[in-house]
């Protein structure tokens, strides 16, 4: 799937969040950035993952991390997801999949014997200088914060 690996420069992305606010890699210079890609807002696995990150948000902040969620949902769906679960971080509404494709997380998936194209649940930890520190492709949705904050 993704060809990005530890030590690579993170893609220079630009996307709009649930409020129409633009986010780019340059906005996060000097901070560590966790970019987590998830298939669909408000589905069970994505909710478990986002809530685990929310519940550990203060630990992320204390360690100079910013969090940014990305899916192909529209802004309205992202805003509802944030509101329903009180998520303290922005979610990009990447409907044209430009950020998703820049990170290489779009591709063939299998579910109940059917093959289709979709987002592979993947998290990128990017350092203060825009270098990928870690790529997590085996995301444990209920314990994802622990995978990042070792």
């Amino acid at each position: 799937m993704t060809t990005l690996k530890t030590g690579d420069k993170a893609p220079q992305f630009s996307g709009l969040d649930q409020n129409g606010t633009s986010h780019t890699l340059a906005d996060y210079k000097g901070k560590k950035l966790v970019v987590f890609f998830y298939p669909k807002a408000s589905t069970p696995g994505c909710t478990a993952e986002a809530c685990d990150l929310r519940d550990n948000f203060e630990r992320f902040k204390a360690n100079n991390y910013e969090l940014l969620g990305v899916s192909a949902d529209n802004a309205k769906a992202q805003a509802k997801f944030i509101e329903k679960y009180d998520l303290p971080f922005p979610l990009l509404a990447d409907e044209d999949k430009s950020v998703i494709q820049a990170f290489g997380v779009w591709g063939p998936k299998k579910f109940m014997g059917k093959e289709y194209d979709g987002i592979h649940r993947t998290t990128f930890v990017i350092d203060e200088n825009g270098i990928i520190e870690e790529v997590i492709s085996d995301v444990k949705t209920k314990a994802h914060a622990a995978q990042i904050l070792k």
Side-chain angles (χ1 to χ4, degrees):
M1 244 336 306
T2 181
T3 54
L4 293 172
K5 56 192 180 312
T6 301
D8 287 350
K9 253 187 171 346
Q12 295 293 331
F13 67 86
S14 175
L16 300 178
D17 70 13
Q18 71 284 351
N19 300 320
T21 304
S22 175
H23 293 262
T24 66
L25 180 62
D27 296 338
Y28 296 95
K29 188 151 178 58
K31 292 202 175 263
K32 290 178 179 239
L33 176 63
V34 174
V35 183
F36 66 99
F37 292 88
Y38 58 95
K40 191 156 181 49
S42 297
T43 55
C46 299
T47 299
E49 178 182 9
C51 290
D52 180 56
L53 296 173
R54 173 202 66 202
D55 295 347
N56 288 280
F57 189 65
E58 290 309 315
R59 285 179 58 210
F60 282 108
K61 294 299 269 186
N63 287 289
N64 198 34
Y65 283 97
E66 293 287 337
L67 277 74
L68 190 58
V70 186
S71 77
D73 292 299
N74 63 33
K76 190 175 173 189
Q78 300 291 44
K80 264 192 183 152
F81 192 28
I82 286 173
E83 199 175 303
K84 186 173 183 180
Y85 297 101
D86 197 24
L87 304 177
F89 40 78
L91 300 175
L92 295 189
D94 193 24
E95 289 182 90
D96 69 358
K97 301 178 190 69
S98 60
V99 179
I100 291 162
Q101 288 174 334
F103 279 85
V105 296
W106 182 263
K109 297 175 73 168
K110 252 192 183 133
F111 182 69
M112 294 175 74
K114 279 191 156 156
E115 216 173 278
Y116 63 98
D117 281 346
I119 298 171
H120 288 256
R121 186 185 310 277
T122 310
T123 297
F124 295 85
V125 181
I126 302 167
D127 76 8
E128 297 86 346
N129 300 309
I131 304 298
I132 296 172
E133 260 181 13
E134 188 175 10
V135 179
I136 304 169
S137 53
D138 182 21
V139 172
K140 293 176 180 28
T141 56
K142 292 184 172 95
H144 194 36
Q147 287 181 289
I148 301 164
L149 297 166
K150 295 181 200 67

